[in-house]
Structure formats: structure tokens, C-alpha cells
Amino acid sequence: MTTETFEFQVEARQLLQLMIHSVYSNKDVFLRELVSNASDALDKLRLEKLRDDSLDADVSDLHIEIDVDKEARTLTVRDNGIGMSYDEVGQLIGTIANSGTAGFLKELREAQDAAGAEGLIGQFGVGFYSGFMVADEVTLVTRRAGESQGTRWTSRGESTYTLEKVDDAPQGTSVTLHLKPADPENQLHDYTSPWTIREIVKRYSDFITWPIRMVPERGDGKDAPEPETLNSMKALWARSRDEVSDDEYHELYKHISHDWREPLETIRLQAEGTFEYQALLFVPSHAPHDLFTRDFKRGVQLYVKRVFIMDDCEALLPPYLRFVKGVVDAQDLSLNVSREILQQDRHIRMMQRRLTKKVLSTVKEIKTKDADRYATFWREFGTVLKEGLVTDSENRDAILAVASFATTHAEDEPTTLAQYVERMKDGQEDIYYITGESRQSIENSPHMEAFRDKGIEVLLLTDAVDEVWVDAVGEYEGKKLRSVAKGEIDLDGEKDEKADGEREKQAEEYAGLLGWMREQLDEDIKEVRLSARLTVSPACVVSDAHDLTPALENMYRAMGQEVPRTKRILELNPDHLLVKNLNQAYKEREDRSGLVESAELLHTLAVLAEGGQPKDPARFVKLVADRLERTL
């Protein structure tokens, strides 16, 4: 048959060199990747045969076979699965998962260490090329089930590869590695050693549900021995807890998640009755770098009676638990439904509810029993879990029970809403909070002054989602969640006639100034009033009780939603010398044109104090410079 030679794409050549020289720190994983690819091919053939009885394919003995030749120094991983056509080989192998190569290279360059780089493998479908770490040449022979002609692909992992059609290829795919000499110093083991093969398969692929067979060495003058099955073929999630070690669970997690670290928690669930399924879920110990990106892939795989149905099954867990990895194996789901129909299946919804409650109850248990592990969990996943407070009203109470927040009560220890309520002062009716970009900035906000003076605890919320969930939740145990930067604040509690009389007197004294400033700043504010929340700063800006905050307005605009600009309220501190002097000047001067700039500066300073930006930065700088010039 005619052999054609092709050149790798430039990016593909770069990727091959990275794969060979720097990506994997443990070269043994090449066999894990090849066995996993073979297992996927068997899953796909079994599923295809179930969907199409007319498919001309032998499924009587689906298996994976490993064959070693010590004299020729070759290792072959063979399966009788779905196989590939000539065009599929050229597209999928020749271009190295053409849709992901550029992205993979970008992520690889940004990874800070070899371990980080290794964690990227599998996300872009390039595990096949790990074989070049241990081989000088790789030959792939494949024939797609139902077709009569096969394909041979050969490359030395440099600049070119060859493709040719072959007539005698068996159904499935075989990958033959022409091994490099063993080099123990560089962790390049002798992969023709049966003991080494057994150890790697047991460590990485024992849970594979298809038999992984290896033909033992033949002794002189003896008949060919029976193939030896290397794996247990019993999925970890189907085995009792006593039969599985933590190490085995951890290896399964690493295989599913492509994470080199151990999981924070392993969650087992077995549902029996009218609808049976098993789940083995893992909570990672570290948030993936792309957790908040649009293209983040979920980590839960769906099987039905151990037959692979779908990877990254989004319907099994809500989006706010997207960091959970694992396997769900159901007994009664239909195998021949489409992905869209499957996601609407009643049993899928039933599983999602049960799995969600199980994960949340496990987190609650961690919180109760292990403060250090809970602190790790909340640091890594607290932000994404709080999304559920907005989207999942059914489990809102369960999420609040495991949520914790920074607070003015303690600098290093977060608090729960239940703990906050227990510490509330006599007469305090609301749970107070403030949102912002960082703890330092919001702790120093003018809005906090009266609360600090009176020793009233305030939740310090610095995640973007905090702007949304506090409105969605609204209250906790009958206590309203109330922003210290919205509406009017009265911290005096019981009615104090003397204080009320003082406030009335100040209101009368400042009435003229407040009305005049309201007219001068009409474009930016809707009201000027005296403040009960300021003790040190001259002024602050607040939102009306039911208005959107500036941060929330910006968030909606960033999502492409146009929202009208909301005018805010300027509050003045009547006890501050600057405000007193401004009021005195207003009363004494008939020509108040010179005070307009002072009013404008006071408003802009209040905006800056809460982390906002001047409407016209250049004008603000000029006004400040002019004032400094006149005072020097």
C-alpha cells in the first residue's frame, strides 16, 4: 500500500518536544495513558453496539492486551475496541487534538513547575504522546469497527509522521513502542520487565472494568502460556469500603482529575431501592486554575452498569459544586438516549438532589470535626459555593450552615451567621455587612466608623458574589442582612429624647447648606443629609436601601447588561470641622460661587474614601492642586 509522509504542525512539534523532555516527571504514566485510551475505545464500541445492533463488530471478548518483546525491546498495548478510520487518524493523531494544542501550550508555559505542568495533561487529549518519553519510535495500527481496511501511523516524534492503509489490521487499535534503553537515573525503567508492567497497571489501572491481559514469557520448549489478567476488573465504587485502601481511592482521583495532589475528602454513596446507583466523589484539596472560566469542565463521569456514557456530566451536580470530581454508576438509566434527553431524565434529577445533599452534609461534617481541613476547603472553594446561595434556594440553609465569613470580631477567624447572631448586642435587630475589594479597604471605610465606635460586629465581604447573595438571602433566623453603606442607620437603639433633640437642632442648623449642596451636585446625587454613621470622616456616599450598589452596577455592565446609573446620597458629618466651617461660610457669604468647588471636592473625597473613582479625574487633580497652591 502507498505510504504518505506528513509534517507535524509547528505547534505539534513544540508540544512533542515538551512532552518528551519536560512535562511528565514520572515516566511510568505513559502506560496509564495508553491503557486509559484503550479502555475508552472499548467503552465506545460497547455503547455503539448497544445503539446499533447492525454494527459488524465482535464484542464477545473485549479486552486490553499488553505484549512485550525483550529481544526487540518493544512494548505493545492492544485493544479490540472502536478503532479509528484513516481520516480520523490523520485528524486526531497527526494534529494532536487540533482544537486544544494552542491552549495547552499556553497553559504549559504559564505553569510554574513540572508538577503543575503534569496536571495539565489529559485536559487537551494529548496523553497518547507520553509514549515518546520512553520510545524512539511509535507505531499505531488501527481499524474502525465495521470497516474492512485499517491504517498504520508511524513517527519518531520529530518533524514527520507516515500514514498508510493496510488490509490485515484487526479490529481496534494497537500502539507499539520501540523502547529507549533503560536509564534508572532518569526514571526510565525497563518496560519490558513483566514485574514493572504489573506494578504500573496495578497502581494506575486496577479499576478499569475491562480485563488487562499480559502474555507471560514462554520458557524453552514449552507451550505458549495463558495470558495473565493484571487488574481486578472490579470498579472501586462497586467495592466495599473495607476492600479499598485510601491510596487506591487517591489514585482513582488522580486519574479522573489529572491532579497530582491527594483529594481533601472522599465521599461514598450507595442508593438502593427502586432506583439504584453508586457514587464515588472527591473534594479536591486545591482549586483548579480555570474554576471560574466559561470553558471549565466538570469532573463527574456517568456510567450505567459500568458502561461509560458521558464525561463531565453537568447534570449530576449543580454549577456551584463543579469542583467535585468522581464517578456515578447507575443501574436503570436508558443507554440509547441522547445527551439532552438524559439531562432531563427524572432519575438524573433525583441523583443530583441526593448527591448535592451528600456533598453539603460532608462539608458540614468536616467543619464540625476538622477545623484545619475546613479552613482549606473554604479558602479554595468558598467563593464558588456561595453561588449556590443565589441559584439553589432548596439547599440555601445547608449552604449557610457551612459558610463562614470574615468579620470585625476577629482578624484571623471567620464566623458563621449562627455565631454572629449569638454575639449580637442587646437591642440589635439586624446583621450588618459591608462589601468591597479587600478587608483592609472596607475596614477603613467611613461607613464603618460608628459601628467601630459602638463595638457592633460587621461582616466583611470581599468576593464578587457577595454583592448578589446578600440580597437573594435577605435574612437569617429572622434577622435582616443589612449593608452599612445603604439606607439610614440608627445605632442608638432605644429612643433617647436628648439625642433626638440634638439631631433636630443640627438638622435645622444645616438645612440651608444641605439644600444648596443638593442643587449644586444635582448631576451626581439625589439627596444630601446629615449622617449618623460618621465619627471621623467629613462625608460619605451611601445607596438607598433598595438601590443597586456601584459594584453591582459594574458587574451587570461587565456581563453586557445595561443598567441605569443610580444617583446616590451624600451624608455629612455635622461634628467634623470641615463641615462646620463649610456651613459657617455658606451662612456668612452672599456670593457662594467660591464654595461650589469645596462642595465638589467634599463629594469626590467621599467617593474616593469608599474605593470609587472621580467622575473627572483631571478636574479633581486640578481642584486639589489649586487649593494646595493657595494654602502654601
Side-chain angles (χ1 to χ4, degrees):
M1 305 296 290
T2 303
T3 301
E4 295 184 89
T5 300
F6 301 89
E7 285 194 4
F8 282 115
Q9 297 172 335
V10 174
E11 288 181 334
R13 290 201 297 271
Q14 294 173 355
L15 180 56
L16 278 170
Q17 293 307 306
L18 287 168
M19 183 71 69
I20 294 168
H21 298 296
S22 62
V23 172
Y24 283 109
S25 58
N26 179 7
K27 295 180 173 59
D28 290 351
V29 297
F30 84 91
L31 188 55
R32 177 195 70 187
E33 296 291 336
L34 295 181
V35 167
S36 295
N37 288 348
S39 177
D40 289 344
L42 296 172
D43 288 336
K44 291 174 182 176
L45 178 60
R46 178 69 176 272
L47 183 59
E48 192 68 25
K49 185 68 174 177
L50 286 169
R51 289 174 171 169
D52 182 5
D53 289 336
S54 65
L55 180 66
D56 182 17
D58 181 9
V59 295
S60 60
D61 181 29
L62 297 179
H63 65 278
I64 301 165
E65 185 175 285
I66 299 175
D67 193 4
V68 295
D69 186 331
K70 283 197 169 185
E71 293 186 4
R73 285 200 58 75
T74 62
L75 181 148
T76 300
V77 178
R78 184 180 299 111
D79 69 74
N80 55 348
I82 191 68
M84 289 180 284
S85 66
Y86 183 90
D87 290 339
E88 287 173 331
V89 172
Q91 179 184 1
L92 300 177
I93 303 298
T95 59
I96 311 183
N98 52 4
S99 64
T101 303
F104 174 81
L105 286 170
K106 181 177 182 293
E107 297 289 348
L108 192 58
R109 294 188 191 102
E110 293 176 356
Q112 297 179 353
D113 50 39
E118 184 174 335
L120 299 171
I121 300 302
Q123 296 180 27
F124 298 88
V126 294
F128 167 77
Y129 287 88
S130 60
F132 283 104
M133 292 188 302
V134 300
D136 291 320
E137 183 176 286
V138 176
T139 299
L140 177 144
V141 177
T142 184
R143 176 172 67 82
R144 184 170 182 81
E147 297 187 358
S148 59
Q149 194 169 59
T151 305
R152 179 182 288 114
W153 178 98
T154 304
S155 177
R156 298 185 63 83
E158 292 168 351
S159 59
T160 63
Y161 61 93
T162 61
L163 277 179
E164 63 177 311
K165 297 179 180 179
V166 293
D167 292 328
D168 56 349
Q171 169 191 305
T173 301
S174 68
V175 179
T176 299
L177 308 179
H178 300 266
L179 297 169
K180 299 175 182 178
D183 185 359
E185 291 185 2
N186 291 319
Q187 296 186 336
L188 187 61
H189 303 130
D190 182 5
Y191 297 111
T192 63
S193 164
W195 182 89
T196 300
I197 299 299
R198 288 190 194 95
E199 194 274 333
I200 295 174
V201 169
K202 185 71 176 175
R203 178 167 18 126
Y204 290 116
S205 307
D206 189 52
F207 70 92
I208 295 291
T209 55
W210 305 107
I212 303 173
R213 300 169 183 165
M214 182 172 66
V215 179
E217 295 179 89
R218 181 189 300 184
D220 294 338
K222 296 183 180 180
D223 295 334
E226 287 293 317
E228 171 190 1
T229 300
L230 304 182
N231 61 322
S232 69
M233 287 181 292
K234 194 169 185 180
L236 293 187
W237 55 89
R239 295 159 64 179
S240 69
R241 179 67 183 87
D242 296 338
E243 296 177 7
V244 186
S245 69
D246 289 340
D247 287 341
E248 288 177 300
Y249 280 138
H250 295 170
E251 288 302 329
L252 174 59
Y253 164 73
K254 292 175 182 178
H255 175 82
I256 292 172
S257 66
H258 306 287
D259 184 2
W260 69 95
R261 290 160 289 218
E262 294 182 354
L264 186 70
E265 181 65 28
T266 301
I267 304 172
R268 290 179 54 91
L269 179 63
Q270 182 161 342
E272 299 178 345
T274 55
F275 177 60
E276 297 182 0
Y277 61 93
Q278 297 162 319
L280 184 58
L281 305 178
F282 302 95
V283 177
S285 58
H286 185 78
H289 67 283
D290 56 348
L291 181 61
F292 293 98
T293 62
R294 186 187 301 272
D295 298 328
F296 177 77
K297 295 202 177 289
R298 313 284 182 83
V300 179
Q301 301 173 345
L302 177 64
Y303 283 72
V304 174
K305 296 178 181 178
R306 297 193 190 181
V307 176
F308 173 78
I309 299 299
M310 138 181 359
D311 205 359
D312 305 325
C313 185
E314 297 183 1
L316 288 173
L317 284 172
Y320 66 89
L321 293 179
R322 59 186 176 272
F323 55 86
V324 175
K325 309 293 183 183
V327 171
V328 175
D329 190 356
Q331 299 301 312
D332 301 317
L333 290 176
S334 175
L335 287 175
N336 58 356
V337 294
S338 69
R339 178 185 297 262
E340 289 74 24
I341 297 174
L342 183 62
Q343 289 176 342
Q344 299 301 320
D345 189 278
R346 178 174 60 88
H347 291 145
I348 285 284
R349 295 196 299 273
M350 187 188 308
M351 284 194 293
Q352 187 196 73
R353 290 194 192 97
R354 182 78 182 277
L355 293 172
T356 299
K357 292 184 184 298
K358 181 65 174 177
V359 172
L360 293 176
S361 66
T362 301
V363 174
K364 185 176 182 179
E365 186 176 348
I366 295 173
K367 183 178 182 300
T368 303
K369 297 181 178 179
D370 194 330
D372 290 339
R373 282 203 306 146
Y374 169 74
T376 298
F377 169 83
W378 192 253
R379 181 183 66 248
E380 297 295 328
F381 303 110
T383 301
V384 66
L385 194 70
K386 285 187 288 188
E387 293 175 8
L389 295 172
V390 182
T391 60
D392 188 0
S393 58
E394 180 182 346
N395 291 295
R396 185 171 290 165
D397 290 342
I399 299 172
L400 284 175
V402 300
S404 58
F405 312 97
T407 172
T408 55
H409 176 72
E411 186 172 345
D412 300 323
E413 293 184 14
T415 192
T416 64
L417 292 184
Q419 292 169 330
Y420 181 102
V421 170
E422 288 178 5
R423 293 193 293 262
M424 285 174 62
K425 291 183 174 295
D426 292 340
Q428 182 181 342
E429 297 181 353
D430 301 323
I431 298 173
Y432 292 105
Y433 69 87
I434 183 171
T435 60
E437 293 185 357
S438 69
R439 177 175 183 134
Q440 181 180 2
S441 66
I442 58 181
E443 272 192 314
N444 295 326
S445 169
H447 302 121
M448 294 285 293
E449 293 173 3
F451 294 87
R452 189 160 45 242
D453 282 358
K454 294 182 179 294
I456 296 177
E457 184 175 357
V458 179
L459 301 178
L460 308 174
L461 309 180
T462 56
D463 293 324
V465 69
D466 293 330
E467 295 279 355
V468 184
W469 76 257
V470 287
D471 286 332
V473 173
E475 64 176 40
Y476 176 77
E477 293 187 356
K479 308 290 185 181
K480 289 185 178 180
L481 292 165
R482 189 170 179 189
S483 171
V484 303
K486 294 180 74 172
E488 294 196 64
I489 298 292
D490 183 5
L491 303 180
D492 289 333
E494 296 181 2
K495 192 168 184 67
D496 184 336
E497 292 185 4
K498 184 178 179 181
D500 287 345
E502 181 67 24
R503 280 196 291 266
E504 289 179 8
K505 183 179 177 181
Q506 286 180 333
E508 185 178 340
E509 180 182 351
Y510 283 88
L513 176 66
L514 300 182
W516 176 80
M517 289 186 66
R518 163 71 177 82
E519 293 176 2
Q520 302 305 317
L521 302 173
D522 180 64
E523 287 188 9
D524 302 303
I525 61 174
K526 61 181 175 182
E527 184 182 350
V528 183
R529 68 190 180 202
L530 297 183
S531 178
R533 72 188 89 215
L534 296 174
T535 62
V536 178
S537 300
C540 68
V541 283
V542 299
S543 300
D544 242 346
H546 302 292
D547 283 348
L548 294 179
T549 63
L552 200 52
E553 285 185 19
N554 292 335
M555 192 183 305
Y556 282 127
R557 291 190 182 104
M559 295 187 295
Q561 300 183 33
E562 276 304 318
V563 292
R565 180 171 170 267
T566 303
K567 289 185 180 182
R568 304 181 71 200
I569 299 166
L570 177 64
E571 289 193 351
L572 304 182
N573 179 1
D575 297 320
H576 195 282
L577 189 59
L578 175 57
V579 177
K580 287 181 177 181
N581 290 341
L582 182 59
N583 188 44
Q584 187 66 29
Y586 167 80
K587 290 180 177 180
E588 293 177 352
R589 299 182 189 179
E590 292 186 8
D591 181 7
R592 300 187 181 103
S593 57
L595 297 180
V596 174
E597 291 183 354
S598 298
E600 186 178 342
L601 280 172
L602 191 59
H603 171 251
T604 307
L605 289 172
V607 172
L608 288 170
E610 68 163 7
Q613 297 293 325
K615 184 174 69 173
D616 186 345
R619 174 171 171 76
F620 173 69
V621 170
K622 182 179 183 303
L623 291 177
V624 172
D626 290 344
R627 289 301 173 103
L628 288 174
E629 182 181 344
R630 290 201 294 268
T631 58
L632 294 177

